[in-house]
Every structure is written in structure tokens, then in C-alpha cells.
Amino acid sequence: MALNGHRGDIEVNNDEDETPTKPLRSAREEMTPDDPADEPAGGTATTGGPGASARGASLHRPGTTRSDSLRRSRPPFPWFGMDIGGTLVKLVYFEPKDITAEEEQEEVENLKSIRRYLTSNTAYGQTGIRDVYLELKDLSLCGRTGNLHFIRFPTYDLPAFLQMVRNKHFSSLHTTLCATGGGAYKFETDFRTMADLQLQKLDELDCLIRGVLFTESVVVSDPSECYYFENPSDPERCEQKPYGLQDPYPLLLVNIGSGVSIMAVYSETDYKRVTGTSLGGGTFLGLCCLLTGCSTFEEALEMASEGESTRVDKLVKDIYGGDYERFGLPGWAVASSFGNMLTSEKREGVSKADLARATLVTITNNIGSITRMCALNENINKVVFVGNFLRVNTLSMKLLAYAMDYWSKGQLKALFLRHEGYFGAVGALLELLHPS
Amino acid sequence: HANCAASVWKSSHSLDKSITLPPDEIFRNLENAKRFAIDIGGSLTKLAYYSTVQHKVAKVRSFDNTAKEASSEKLYEISVQEEITARLHFIKFENAYIETCLDFIKDHLVNTDTKLIKATGGGAHKFKDLIEKKLGLKVDKEDEMTCLIRGCNFVLRNIPHEAFIFTKHADSEFRFQNTHPDIFPYLLVNIGSGVSIIKVESEDKFERIGGSSIGGGTFWGLGALLTKTKRFDELLQLASKGQHTNLDMLVKDIYGGSYGSLGLTGDLIASSFGKSATTDKEFSKEDIAKSLLHMISNDIGQLACLYARLHSLTRVYFGGFFIRGHPVTMHTITYSINFFTKGEVQALFLRHEGYLGAIGAFLKGAEEDNPNQYSWGENYAGSSGLMSASPDINPMQRARSGTFDMLEMDRLERKLVNLPLLEDPSSYVPDTVDLTVDPLAREYWLFCFEDALDGVVKRAVASQPDLPEAVERAEKFRQKYRHKLQTLRQQPFAYGSLTVRSLLDTREHCLNEFNFPDPYSKIKQRENDAALRCYQKAVAALDALGWEEKQFALVRGVLAGNVFDWGAKAFFHSTSLLLLLFVPERPWLVDSYNQWLQRLKGPPHKCAVFFVDNSGMDIILGVMPFVRELLLRGTEVVLASNSSPALNDVTNGELQILTETIAAMDPIIQAGLKEDRLVLVQTGSSSPCLDLGRLDKELTIVVRERRADLVVIEGMGRAVHTNYFARLSCESLKMAVIKNPWLAERLGGKLFSVVFKYELGEPQEGSVSL
């Protein structure tokens, strides 16, 4: 639920106790943090608290009659949201599960075939993957109930995707394809010429924030969407714990894709991009490919997990023999990333895994320090890290959690979201359903 | 020491050593050296020591009454004395030479009671044993960062034009910054193997507020891994030839164009090395190095900006081996800072950045000498200056700077501070034309100084007729100064902004270096004698005039006297009052005489500070009558003259004698001296030009105490080459005759055009407190 009253006005008709202009935030404030625990699994139902109506605004409540206006304003299936980034294309697909018999009859074959293809496979072509573990089941959207699927493939495989779209005669469905990310602009012509599809281009940060706030609000139970690491400074006791993001604002949102964008978010619509850095996931993978000859993110991560960065990096203790007390620098801190690689004997003494690990640590720590500075400058103490760099990358998440905690002396909290890389695509889908 | 020299050069590798200097011209004045300090970095060693230099100085002394009979008709005698001055030596050389250099120092170190050597830098402990063994000195380690900050404070305070901004492809790549009267607070971003970001609030108060592990070591280490290129310099060379767009994913690679709503242009890097993961091809070493350089520079720039903003600091200096004069890194850092602060903060670099650690370590070891209580000046004669930015333009110079580079700083006898009457000390620029950015003017003046060199050499020889070796020394001076001029032709930015003043000062430094302390002493003496004989007659003639005529005659007198100047090539020899003919009719080129006359009809000034120019007619027949009139009006007068000789300018010592002599003839001057309404002070300078930002502290105290409300600046060097645009908070009068046809034309006039610039000045804020 990521809608302001004015955006959500298409649903308010079926919800008498919701005032049309009531923004999400005020509704949230009325919610008690404990409420989600009482909810059934699946994230479909609403809470029983005073904020329930706000949630219900966009979610289906069994037993409620769908109003005609809702049906009229609802876009035709299929419902997709797409985010075409520099490295990955992220696709979310809503699979309706409440299709009535008559609907089934009316449904064109194309639509069925697309649904079947997407839901019965977990891999598509050479590189497409459905992240099954992220699937949101029994989700109510615009009065429909169904499952939300999360699919990704590399941006370089976009031509193959377009070919598939063409083969499945997607364009005959006369649907709008809402797309965000730079690729929505770059490949707009390709979509038109190769797949006869008109993209509705959306701003990536708008979508991202909308997607984050929506996802976090609909996923109310285990596994919790938002989590943090307890005891980040102690590897033995460091543990992933759910976090209730009931009171999200202000928050610093750090999106680590190929590059990094950092946003200060004060409300769903009031946010600014604070800064960004070009040292992101693309840099990690790019450098790893050059350094180790690997070719995939998973491979690079795998190597990193086996390596030892301290052979590559020069630590404070390598220079000062211990802590640099004059400036309060602990001996274990990295003084110079890759700083040990200046001599050929040392270069020969490190493994590819060591290099991968050092690259990961370098990029992650750097994102950590820039984030920390932004948090200080913006006076924000909650940081949410998202983006596909964090996918299956516990190493980086723990490092970020630790860096935030250590350097801020416990003032800064690093938070993570399960659907880390898909929020832009979710935001694009929301735009399809509730045009702003 | 030819053998030693040879061995140094043999032990070196790869670089072209054909023009390097022998060590005894590098480790100078070792005989009296003490207080050694050494900063050993990853590749360069910086050695610092304090020494004393014996100099010939010209002194003047009145004949006492009894002797006067015996002597000729001269009023004072000139003697050349030996004076000992303090000098700091800083030498930078490659670590490869450490052993040879230590041997050389050991062999030449006599007469020293030094027991310790202060050491800093990453290599200090590695070479500790070697140093202790070779020199027999105990190595005392000092904290690197503390040394760095101390050194930084020292150069910012003592070396004008120390800091500069770097603009690639501009007319002049270097834009030097004025020394701010208050150097604090500032941010120092030191990019060594890692990055340290230090906030400096005062001499002793500084804090490492942050840093990053992505620094020079990352560039070097990653660069070596990725390109198989081992040397840092070679990596930079590679980077300067590469194309980063082959590896970096730009905004336009993702968007197809710009990301308009965020104002991110298409050429912006969205993901460093982002293409090397998805593109299956070989990348060139050059391109890889370039992407790496961009990645690291941008990252450092961004962090620096974030820290600057958090601490509200606008002065951000960059240093460390990653920067150290490398145009490629200065450019990328500048670009990054510009981008991230939208131009609000400029990246500043330091000319002597490589010496900061050594200077700081030295200062730590010399605390008992209180070096910070003195003012120090860069000795242009003994300092290498900043070497060329582009290795391609001047590979030879570059190679040399890679071997031995020197900085010498002289302890000035006087503590220098800015004139309290400057309207805005922080924006005051003494020099009228910056030759660094004006190629035509530069060409002209470099030619002029080269052309005048023969004459200067001749005069230098003539000033020491009793010393036969003077010819040889003068020849050495010629070579030295000609070499400096050649260097400046190649690298106008070597000593900060190139100006007529710096060219003149460099010449004075070179003359002093070869013991020609005052080539004009005899000429000055002769001219002073001659002019003194005319004084009474001249004053009587002026007194006979009506008030208004007299005021004009006084001004004409100052101007006429100023025409007569041995320093100007347009003049040769004359002592005739006919010179008055050279003062053209009004209206002058710059002419606010009417306003001045009007002002004189009003109440007298409280106190006038008069910065005087030449000896002889100028001071005696021009300035003195003018001063006399001010005294008669009830205005106190502070006569400010040079502390040491420069050309034929009257020095404070000479002026003492001249004034006393005049006082003996003139009751008004006599009374002025007696009643302390006429005082003589020294400027602390020995330049034919005038830097109102660096004046003897004593002078500024007098100015404050007497509440001076009029500043008179006389002569081309002080009122045209410098201070022409200087804005003061009180009334000011700038008087000069332009004795150089080129300059006259530049200013829209002819030879002997007159500048008579009377300005009211803006009262300073809070001037009441004066």
C-alpha cells in the first residue's frame, strides 16, 4: 500500500470509514507495532487496528463486494511492472488466482499462455530466473487476489526477451507495459519496433520509493520484509532479526544496483536524491571479472566468500603495528584497499578468492561511508539498503550493518528488505494499477 | 665532490640524469647544519635542516663629527659587513639515493652538536637503522599527521601563492590563491595509500574527521593487478592516454541519454567498471587505468565534499603522493569537487605539498627556536620551484624534479603582517598584472629582464672594485638568474604567480646569493650627496611660492624626483633639475590632482604613511619637501622604507642618516623628529615593489597607534606594478611616473605618463576600534 488518498481514490468507494485525503503516513501512525504479529500468513489480510481501513483501501477483503467503479478503472490483465536497469531487468507479474469460470471463458489464449509460461517455470531461456522464494501469495491488488512473481534476467538479454514477447503476441493484449529504470528510455524504440509494445516510462526513484513502501506495508508477517542484524559487531552472535518499519520517516534509502543512489525520504511523495556513487554492484562484478576471470555475480560472490581480504588490503596495523591511537583508528581497519598489491611478490601471494573478497569489502565499505556521511548531513538515523547487489550477499549486508553501527557508535541502524532488487518493478506495477 | 656526484648518478636507474646537480649544490650549507628532520615516503625522501648563511650586507654609517673633516664631502660611509642569517633547507630525492646522500651528509657535517634527527613518514622505521648508523644521530619518530599539519600551516602562513587551483586547458593551468590572513579553519585531504580527512582549526587543534581506504594505494595496487604495470607514474601515464567510457557504464549507457529529471547528464558515470562485467572483450591498459583513476578521484572528491559540508568548511586542500603535482590527478579531483559541490568549493593544491611532512617534523624538532614566531620567505635563488605540470611538455625538467628538488626558506628579520588599512586583506592582490595568465606581458617582461642582465652584471662588478673575484661571482649570478628566467619561460607558475615583482625579487635573491648585497650603494651615495646639496635651495624656492602654486610644485617635485631612477632603463645619467621638464603637463594619464588640492584645503590629516622609493633626488628633493609640508599642516608622517637594499631604493638605514642631515639644515624636519611627529620605520621588505600584505609588524603597530588616515605610495614598482588596484580603508595617494614604454602603452599612455591617483577609501567596518 503505497498510495496517498488522492492516488487511492479509486478504491475509497468501497471503504466508508476512510477519508479520501488521508495519507498513508497518518494511518500508519495509528497502527501499533505489534499488530502484524496477529495477522495470518500471506500478507493478504488487513490489520484489525484503526489503520485497517487504510490498508484495506488497496487490498481485497473477502466478502466485500467489488464496486463497479473499481472494476471499470482496473486495467486489463496481464499486470506487469518492469524495471530495466544497467545490469538486470526486473519483472514483477501478478498472477490472479480468483479467476471466475466466466472470466476463464472470456480470457484469450495469449493471456493464459503467458500466465502458464511464467508460473509453471522458474527459469526462462538461458538467463531468466524467477525468485520463487520471494513470491507474495494471496495478495490483493485492486480488488483481485493472486500471487506476485519476481523475475529477473540480464539487461543484455533484453533482445531475447523482446523476441519472446513478440512470439507470444503480447501486443495483441492491448495492455500498457509500465516500465522504469534507464532501459525504459533507452530501449523504448526497441520495444516498439521489435515487440510492437508502447512502454509507459516511469521515473525510477518514484517507482522505487513507491515499491518499497508498498511491499513493506503488505508483507506483514513471517518472513518479515524488513530486517536488521543484531550484534553486528560480533560474528558469533550476529543474527538476522525482523524489523517493524511502522514509522519509516525520515529514512535514507540506499539503492545499490550497478551504481548507487541515495535518497532521503520524508514521506511517500516527499523525497530527494541526496547523492549517488558510481562504485556499486557493477563495479564489484566488473572488477571481479577483470581480476579473477569470473563471469557471474554468483560466481564472484562464491569466490569472495572463500577469500581473505586482509592479504590484499593494507590494514592500519600493517602500518602502525596496532591501533592508530592518535586518531582512534583500530588496527583492523582497512587503511588502503588493495594497498598490499604494490609489490610483485605480494601480488603473486594472493588467490583469486582473496581478490574477489577484497573487491567486495572495498565496494561495500565505501558505500557504507558515503551512506553514513549522508545520514549525518541529512540528520537521519535509519538507513534502508536495497538493490540487487545485496541479493544472496549476506557478507555485504553484515559488513554494512557493522559499519553503520561501529562508525556511528550505535547511532545508525542499517535495515534491509527481502525483495531487495524488485522495488522499482513493483512501483511500476503500482503505477499501472493506480496512475498517479 | 665530483666522485661522489658520479657515484650518485651511477647508482640511479632508468631516468635521464644528464642534467642533475652535484650534491654539494643540493645539500648546501651543511657546515653549520643542525636540527635535521627526515620524511621518508614510499618513493621519495625529504630531508630538512636548519643552517646559517654568512652573507655580505651593505651597511651605512654616519661619519662622526671629528672624522667628517678628514673624509671627503661624503655624508656617510658604506661598509660591507658579514651577517649571519638563518635558512631552512629542504631537499627531496628518490629513496634510491638515501644511502649515498647520508654518506655525503656525514662527510660534510662538521661543527654540529646535533644528536637527534626527527623522522616521519611510512619509511621512517624501515630506514631507521641506516640513518642511525650513517649519521650517528638518534632517530626520533614523530607522528605523521601532526607533522603534515604543522608543515601545512607553516607554508600557508609563510609562502604567498602557496595554494592554487588547477584548471586543465585554461590559459594558465595554475591559479594561485592569496594567502588569507587567517589560514584557519581548513580541511586537508591527504591522499596517500589511503585517504585521511583532517579538519584543522588552529595551530594545535586538528582532528581526523574521516577517511577512506580507497586512495593512492588502491590506484596503484589495483592498477598493478589489472594492467601489469608496476610503477605509479607509469600507471598515471597510462591513465592520461585512456578512455574511461570503454569500461565505465555511463548514464547514457543505461538511459540512452541523460536522466533529465535528476539533472544527471548522459556522460556521467553510473557504474565504474560496469561494462567490464557484461562485455566480453579485451580492454586496453590505458582504458583500465583511466577508469580506475576516475573511480578513485570521484570517490575521494565526493567524500571530501560530504565532510566539508558537514563541517561547513570551504577551504579544502589536497595532498599526498596521489596528488603531488600530477596534473592528471589534480584534474580529476578538481572535476570531482566541482561536480559534487556544484562549484561552491574549489579544490586547492599546494606548491610545496611534498615537503609538508619534512617541514612539520623539522618544526617539531626546532620548537625551542620558536620558528613560528618568525616570518619566513621562500628563497627563489635556492628553490627549484614547481615543476612542469605536463610531463609531455617538459620531460627533461620532470626527470630532474624526480631526482632532486629543493626548497630554501630564509628567516626574515622582521615578523610580517598585513597593513591594517587594507580594505579587505583577504582579497588584496598586490600585483597589477599576473604574467602567468598574460602571455604577451610575460613575453615582454621576461625579455626585458634578460635584456637588462648585462647591465646588472656590470653594475654588480663595479660595486665591488676592491674584490677581484667579483667578476667571477657576477658571472655565476648571471648564469643563475638567466637559468631562472629560462625556467620561468617554461614554467611561469614555478614560484606562484609570475609578476614583475617576483622577477625583481628573484633577481635580488640571486644577487644576494652571490654576495652582491647592494650593487647600487655607491651610486646611491653619490646621488644622495648631490641632492642634499640642493635641498636648502629647493625648499627656499618652494617656500617663495603662493599656497596653491606650492602644492602643485610639491607634487611635481615628487614626480620629477621619481623620474630619476637608475632602475629604469630609460634613464641614464643626470642630476639636473632640468628633469622637471620630463613631468608632462596636466591632465595626466591618471589625474585626480584637483580632488587632492581640494582635500588640502580641508582639515589636515591626522597621520600619513609614506612608502618611499628611490634614493637621491627622489627622496631628498621630492619626498622630503612634500613631507615637510604635511608636517607644517599638522600631519604626522611615518616614512616607510625598505629594510634591505633593492636597486637604488633608499633603505631605512640610509634614510636615517639622510633625515638627520636634513634636520640639521631644516628646523621643520628637526622639530618633526624631536616632537616625534616624523618617524622612520622599515617595511620589512627588500623588494622594489610593495606587498601591503607582508609588512613589518612594527610598522603596522605604528600605523594603528597613530591612527594613520592617509597612505602615500610612490613610484612605479610600488604604485603601478603593485598596488595600482589596491583598495584601502582610508585616503590614499598613488604617485608614479611610468618609465617603461610598454607599460605606458598598456595603460593607454606614453613614456613618462604620470599616475596621480587620489582615492577616498572605504572606512573599515569597526574602524572605531583602531
Side-chain angles (χ1 to χ4, degrees):
Chain A
M1 218 295 297
L3 309 170
N4 263 339
H6 70 274
R7 282 193 186 173
D9 55 5
I10 43 171
E11 306 93 354
V12 283
N13 299 344
N14 78 342
D15 235 317
E16 302 79 15
D17 53 353
E18 171 64 35
T19 48
T21 51
K22 196 165 194 180
L24 173 71
R25 189 173 176 186
S26 61
R28 286 177 157 278
E29 283 161 359
E30 293 158 23
M31 255 189 286
T32 58
D34 301 331
D35 280 344
D38 302 323
E39 294 303 310
T44 52
T46 62
T47 62
S53 57
R55 277 174 177 260
S58 67
L59 301 177
H60 168 63
R61 227 187 290 183
T64 313
T65 28
R66 289 177 205 145
S67 74
D68 288 346
S69 67
L70 182 57
R71 195 174 304 142
R72 270 202 307 277
S73 65
R74 206 157 49 203
F77 288 124
W79 293 352
F80 281 106
M82 197 175 198
D83 175 4
I84 311 170
T87 313
L88 284 177
V89 179
K90 282 77 67 176
L91 191 67
V92 294
Y93 168 66
F94 181 80
E95 172 204 1
K97 295 294 264 186
D98 54 357
I99 299 173
T100 58
E102 50 191 290
E103 251 184 312
E104 181 103 40
Q105 289 223 305
E106 287 169 23
E107 200 174 34
V108 292
E109 194 47 41
N110 277 351
L111 198 55
K112 283 197 190 92
S113 129
I114 289 170
R115 187 167 69 236
R116 268 197 307 272
Y117 175 69
L118 290 176
T119 56
S120 59
N121 293 305
T122 56
Y124 315 94
Q126 296 285 307
T127 52
I129 285 165
R130 181 153 63 89
D131 285 315
V132 183
Y133 70 103
L134 290 178
E135 182 178 335
L136 290 177
K137 289 209 163 79
D138 298 327
L139 182 73
S140 282
L141 264 182
C142 251
R144 299 298 301 252
T145 306
N147 299 340
L148 198 57
H149 298 277
F150 298 88
I151 299 159
R152 63 184 152 88
F153 59 89
T155 306
Y156 63 75
D157 262 351
L158 195 68
F161 173 79
L162 290 175
Q163 191 56 50
M164 184 204 77
V165 168
R166 190 193 178 100
N167 296 344
K168 294 204 177 291
H169 302 289
F170 198 93
S171 63
S172 66
L173 298 169
H174 304 292
T175 185
T176 316
L177 186 53
C178 279
T180 185
Y185 297 81
K186 187 181 178 186
F187 301 111
E188 189 188 9
T189 322
D190 295 340
F191 270 85
R192 203 170 45 237
T193 56
M194 291 170 69
D196 192 27
L197 267 182
Q198 187 63 45
L199 290 185
Q200 187 183 340
K201 307 189 294 290
L202 301 167
D203 180 79
E204 66 173 292
L205 299 186
D206 284 343
C207 288
L208 174 71
I209 287 167
R210 216 176 158 182
V212 165
L213 296 172
F214 171 82
T215 311
E216 202 282 320
S217 71
V218 295
V219 181
V220 287
S221 60
D222 270 352
S224 158
E225 178 65 20
C226 185
Y227 59 96
Y228 70 103
F229 289 91
E230 203 174 58
N231 305 315
S233 54
D234 182 353
E236 303 285 295
R237 291 164 57 228
C238 181
E239 228 186 309
Q240 189 173 325
K241 292 267 171 164
Y243 186 87
L245 199 63
Q246 279 77 24
D247 185 13
Y249 309 116
L251 79 85
L252 207 63
L253 182 60
V254 182
N255 185 32
I256 317 174
S258 317
V260 181
S261 272
I262 301 178
M263 280 77 59
V265 186
Y266 300 99
S267 79
E268 195 211 331
T269 47
D270 180 17
Y271 73 87
K272 61 173 182 186
R273 183 179 187 271
V274 178
T275 189
T277 165
S278 68
L279 284 83
T283 316
F284 164 65
L285 185 54
L287 280 175
C288 272
C289 291
L290 293 175
L291 288 168
T292 70
C294 72
S295 53
T296 67
F297 182 67
E298 290 75 6
E299 225 180 310
L301 274 185
E302 177 69 27
M303 254 194 280
S305 69
E306 290 158 8
E308 183 57 72
S309 62
T310 51
R311 281 196 277 266
V312 179
D313 295 340
K314 187 171 267 175
L315 307 186
V316 168
K317 66 169 178 241
D318 296 335
I319 301 174
Y320 295 98
D323 298 349
Y324 189 7
E325 280 159 26
R326 174 77 179 74
F327 289 124
L329 286 177
W332 52 259
V334 183
S336 173
S337 298
F338 289 85
N340 273 341
M341 297 292 90
L342 310 192
T343 59
S344 49
E345 60 265 32
K346 288 221 169 136
R347 283 196 291 273
E348 282 151 21
V350 296
S351 68
K352 286 182 173 183
D354 294 340
L355 293 173
R357 177 65 162 244
T359 309
L360 188 76
V361 169
T362 303
I363 301 294
T364 306
N365 277 339
N366 189 61
I367 294 168
S369 14
I370 292 174
T371 300
R372 204 172 54 81
M373 287 311 296
C374 290
L376 279 172
N377 270 322
E378 302 300 322
N379 202 15
I380 295 176
N381 58 21
K382 241 184 311 201
V383 186
V384 176
F385 292 95
V386 297
N388 266 321
F389 174 65
L390 300 175
R391 195 172 59 79
V392 295
N393 187 358
T394 321
L395 219 51
S396 286
M397 287 192 278
K398 285 188 175 174
L399 260 176
L400 285 170
Y402 178 55
M404 292 301 108
D405 183 71
Y406 181 86
W407 296 108
S408 73
K409 301 189 171 71
Q411 296 300 300
L412 264 179
K413 194 157 199 90
L415 303 171
F416 304 92
L417 300 176
R418 282 187 72 234
H419 289 86
E420 54 238 343
Y422 283 105
F423 300 111
V426 172
L429 171 65
L430 291 172
E431 183 62 32
L432 171 75
L433 304 180
H434 312 290
S436 47
Chain B
H1 311 291
N3 288 341
C4 174
S7 69
V8 170
W9 317 138
K10 262 183 225 156
S11 73
S12 62
H13 50 87
S14 66
L15 289 171
D16 172 19
K17 295 298 179 322
S18 55
I19 53 155
T20 40
L21 304 167
D24 57 343
E25 286 186 19
I26 294 160
F27 300 102
R28 308 201 312 151
N29 299 312
L30 268 177
E31 295 75 19
N32 306 305
K34 56 175 186 173
R35 306 215 187 288
F36 282 86
I38 196 162
D39 173 11
I40 308 176
S43 54
L44 293 174
T45 296
K46 283 78 66 173
L47 183 80
Y49 57 92
Y50 167 100
S51 189
T52 47
V53 193
Q54 199 163 16
H55 261 308
K56 286 193 166 48
V57 286
K59 293 275 178 190
V60 290
R61 193 171 65 94
S62 302
F63 291 108
D64 52 36
N65 287 336
T66 49
K68 199 170 177 177
E69 299 293 319
S71 79
S72 62
E73 291 179 0
K74 285 172 189 155
L75 283 158
Y76 60 85
E77 66 172 342
I78 307 159
S79 63
V80 173
Q81 295 171 10
E82 296 288 336
E83 197 178 70
I84 301 210
T85 54
R87 182 175 288 178
L88 305 184
H89 292 264
F90 303 98
I91 302 109
K92 183 163 71 182
F93 50 87
E94 286 179 23
N95 287 355
Y97 305 139
I98 276 193
E99 203 164 341
T100 327
C101 289
L102 292 177
D103 281 338
F104 180 87
I105 292 164
K106 179 66 191 163
D107 291 348
H108 294 79
L109 200 56
V110 285
N111 196 18
T112 181
D113 50 3
T114 300
K115 299 274 185 289
L116 273 185
I117 179 164
K118 288 283 181 185
T120 188
H125 71 265
K126 184 175 162 195
F127 289 97
K128 180 172 177 278
D129 291 345
L130 184 74
I131 297 167
E132 294 194 336
K133 194 183 90 200
K134 293 276 181 192
L135 293 186
L137 300 177
K138 197 173 160 1
V139 170
D140 186 16
K141 275 207 72 177
E142 285 291 337
D143 174 69
E144 211 173 330
M145 212 57 79
T146 311
C147 292
L148 197 66
I149 302 297
R150 288 283 174 103
C152 193
N153 293 341
F154 186 79
V155 294
L156 285 175
R157 197 179 285 122
N158 288 291
I159 306 187
H161 292 176
E162 176 61 32
F164 61 88
I165 56 172
F166 183 80
T167 328
K168 205 182 170 188
H169 308 308
D171 284 349
S172 165
E173 294 179 331
F174 300 81
R175 286 290 173 96
F176 293 94
Q177 305 289 297
N178 265 339
T179 313
H180 201 278
D182 188 6
I183 61 171
F184 305 109
Y186 65 85
L187 204 62
L188 179 66
V189 181
N190 190 53
I191 315 173
S193 26
V195 181
S196 280
I197 301 176
I198 306 138
K199 177 186 179 183
V200 187
E201 285 174 283
S202 72
E203 188 61 44
D204 296 309
K205 195 175 174 211
F206 61 88
E207 188 193 351
R208 185 187 190 274
I209 54 172
S212 167
S213 68
I214 300 185
T218 315
F219 178 71
W220 196 345
L222 251 182
L225 287 165
L226 294 170
T227 69
K228 313 277 178 258
T229 303
K230 293 186 187 95
R231 288 171 54 97
F232 179 74
D233 284 357
E234 285 170 34
L235 276 169
L236 283 181
Q237 282 277 2
L238 284 179
S240 64
K241 293 180 209 139
Q243 276 293 333
H244 77 100
T245 50
N246 288 334
L247 285 103
D248 290 348
M249 188 182 281
L250 309 185
V251 166
K252 69 179 171 204
D253 292 322
I254 301 177
Y255 272 83
S258 66
Y259 184 178
S261 63
L262 286 181
L264 303 177
T265 62
D267 289 328
L268 219 59
I269 305 172
S271 175
S272 296
F273 289 92
K275 280 184 195 163
S276 57
T278 49
T279 321
D280 248 349
K281 65 170 188 184
E282 289 290 302
F283 298 97
S284 79
K285 290 179 176 187
E286 287 81 0
D287 293 349
I288 291 174
K290 179 77 162 196
S291 282
L292 193 58
L293 177 69
H294 274 286
M295 176 181 101
I296 289 167
S297 300
N298 285 336
D299 192 54
I300 296 169
Q302 177 172 28
L303 276 172
C305 292
L306 287 167
Y307 279 101
R309 191 181 314 151
L310 190 64
H311 293 265
S312 312
L313 296 170
T314 50
R315 270 175 282 170
V316 185
Y317 300 99
F318 286 85
F321 81 75
F322 185 68
I323 296 293
R324 211 139 294 171
H326 300 298
V328 230
T329 57
M330 288 196 286
H331 174 63
T332 50
I333 288 282
T334 300
Y335 182 88
S336 167
I337 291 287
N338 243 320
F339 174 78
F340 285 108
T341 68
K342 300 182 176 73
E344 278 169 31
V345 173
Q346 285 179 318
L348 294 166
F349 304 98
L350 299 171
R351 270 204 295 143
H352 298 102
E353 190 273 318
Y355 287 111
L356 302 186
I359 294 174
F362 168 80
L363 292 172
K364 288 287 280 184
E367 268 162 357
E368 64 194 72
D369 295 336
N370 253 329
N372 271 326
Q373 118 196 340
Y374 300 96
S375 286
W376 300 79
E378 180 180 10
N379 187 308
Y380 296 141
S383 303
S384 317
L386 192 65
M387 283 304 151
S388 176
S390 356
D392 299 334
I393 290 176
N394 207 349
M396 221 164 59
Q397 293 284 6
R398 187 84 196 164
R400 214 206 77 196
S401 81
T403 49
F404 285 89
D405 188 89
M406 293 177 291
L407 165 66
E408 293 184 9
M409 299 201 53
D410 287 327
R411 191 173 79 194
L412 308 178
E413 282 173 55
R414 328 285 300 186
K415 178 98 182 167
L416 304 182
V417 294
N418 65 273
L419 184 70
L421 295 169
L422 283 174
E423 189 185 289
D424 177 15
S426 58
S427 67
Y428 166 72
V429 181
D431 306 288
T432 307
V433 181
D434 181 351
L435 303 180
T436 333
V437 293
D438 189 337
L440 276 178
R442 179 167 76 232
E443 191 50 42
Y444 173 79
W445 285 108
L446 283 170
F447 167 79
C448 251
F449 277 86
E450 183 127 30
D451 194 46
L453 191 51
D454 276 343
V456 177
V457 169
K458 260 184 221 147
R459 204 162 308 117
V461 174
S463 72
Q464 297 177 352
D466 311 332
L467 303 172
E469 37 69 63
V471 180
E472 197 184 321
R473 264 189 294 124
E475 206 44 52
K476 280 186 182 164
F477 154 76
R478 185 210 300 276
Q479 280 167 22
K480 183 99 183 178
Y481 190 57
R482 180 171 286 159
H483 179 74
K484 290 281 165 195
L485 290 174
Q486 279 160 0
T487 305
L488 288 167
R489 210 180 277 280
Q490 299 279 338
Q491 285 142 206
F493 45 79
Y495 300 97
S497 288
L498 183 66
T499 60
V500 173
R501 177 167 64 106
S502 73
L503 284 166
L504 284 163
D505 289 354
T506 306
R507 190 165 70 186
E508 295 300 327
H509 290 179
C510 290
L511 280 167
N512 275 322
E513 199 56 40
F514 293 99
N515 273 319
F516 294 105
D518 193 0
Y520 287 87
S521 57
K522 295 234 157 48
I523 298 161
K524 286 189 289 184
Q525 185 189 38
R526 199 164 61 231
E527 300 304 332
N528 283 336
D529 281 347
L532 276 172
R533 277 188 219 105
C534 307
Y535 179 78
Q536 273 170 311
K537 217 186 279 177
V539 169
L542 284 165
D543 281 345
L545 298 172
W547 185 83
E548 212 156 300
E549 279 176 297
K550 185 182 178 187
Q551 303 312 313
F552 188 62
L554 286 169
V555 166
R556 266 177 70 92
V558 172
L559 294 168
N562 195 243
V563 174
F564 180 69
D565 178 358
W566 274 96
K569 204 175 175 246
F571 253 91
F572 290 104
H573 197 93
S574 175
T575 52
S576 164
L577 277 172
L578 287 173
L579 280 172
L580 279 172
L581 294 175
F582 281 103
V583 178
E585 290 302 312
R586 291 186 60 205
W588 295 319
L589 183 59
V590 178
D591 191 339
S592 36
Y593 178 74
N594 290 349
Q595 289 90 318
W596 171 244
L597 186 68
Q598 211 51 40
R599 174 63 187 87
L600 288 180
K601 289 174 185 164
H605 295 91
K606 165 85 181 59
C607 172
V609 188
F610 200 126
F611 291 95
V612 301
D613 189 7
N614 306 314
S615 298
M617 279 194 42
D618 188 342
I619 183 73
I620 294 163
L621 301 180
V623 174
M624 276 302 180
F626 190 92
V627 167
R628 180 174 181 270
E629 183 70 13
L630 285 172
L631 289 170
L632 281 170
R633 280 171 58 79
T635 303
E636 291 172 32
V637 180
V638 177
L639 278 179
S641 53
N642 270 0
S643 299
S644 320
L647 297 178
N648 64 330
D649 292 1
V650 65
T651 63
N652 186 55
E654 289 157 358
L655 193 54
Q656 300 276 0
I657 296 167
L658 296 180
T659 312
E660 274 165 34
T661 314
I662 291 169
M665 303 186 273
D666 186 338
I668 292 158
I669 301 291
Q670 176 87 283
L673 286 175
K674 217 173 189 173
E675 293 156 20
D676 196 34
R677 295 195 303 111
L678 173 61
V679 286
L680 308 182
V681 292
Q682 46 184 313
T683 56
S685 156
S686 52
S687 166
C689 295
L690 178 65
D691 179 355
L692 296 175
R694 274 167 76 86
L695 290 174
D696 188 356
K697 198 172 178 184
E698 295 293 319
L699 185 156
T700 64
I701 291 170
V702 172
V703 163
R704 250 182 240 274
E705 279 175 357
R706 295 186 179 241
R707 298 170 185 229
D709 53 355
L710 172 67
V711 172
V712 186
I713 307 175
E714 184 213 1
M716 196 161 77
R718 289 174 181 77
V720 181
H721 286 316
T722 53
N723 299 310
Y724 190 70
F725 299 115
R727 297 190 60 81
L728 294 145
S729 57
C730 66
E731 288 173 52
S732 64
L733 186 54
K734 295 163 190 169
M735 289 186 277
V737 178
I738 302 173
K739 291 163 285 189
N740 172 289
W742 184 89
L743 185 63
E745 199 182 320
R746 257 284 167 115
L747 294 170
K750 293 184 300 218
L751 190 63
F752 301 124
S753 286
V754 166
V755 168
F756 187 92
K757 203 173 181 185
Y758 168 66
E759 288 160 309
L760 285 176
E762 291 293 324
Q764 257 175 337
E765 264 177 69
S767 59
V768 196
S769 65
L770 282 177

